[in-house]
Amino acid sequence: MLKAQGSRIKAQESRLKDQGSRNKDQCSRLKAQGSRLKAHGSRLTMATASLHDAAREGDVAKGRAALDAGAGLEDADAGGFTAMHCACLQLGPPLAV
């Protein structure tokens, strides 16, 4: 009886060890995915900032480059302003991208 119980305990230990390895692998994959998302977010933030700058300056070429780099027309800055808001607040000629 003790021998059978010992075998069951060893089998359970083996399953837990395998599960621990799978959990470690899953954690590693999630960390890597988080790093990629963080990097992607940084690029979007830089592209959005460039688009807002272009809108403020009335620079069409810079605006197109920011859009090509991934900025979105609906992306807002920390104050909640979109590029259209920035363009409208300027007194110069309108920016049409």
Side-chain angles (χ1 to χ4, degrees), residues 59-83:
D59 188 336
V60 175
K62 186 175 179 180
R64 284 193 179 125
L67 289 169
D68 290 342
L73 293 174
E74 301 295 323
D75 293 348
D77 63 12
F81 291 96
T82 64

Side-chain angles (χ1 to χ4, degrees), residues 3-18:
K3 229 180 193 183
Q5 191 175 10
S7 294
R8 285 193 302 270
I9 289 173
K10 282 185 179 183
Q12 187 176 11
E13 286 175 345
S14 178
R15 282 192 304 272
L16 289 173
K17 190 175 182 180
D18 290 343

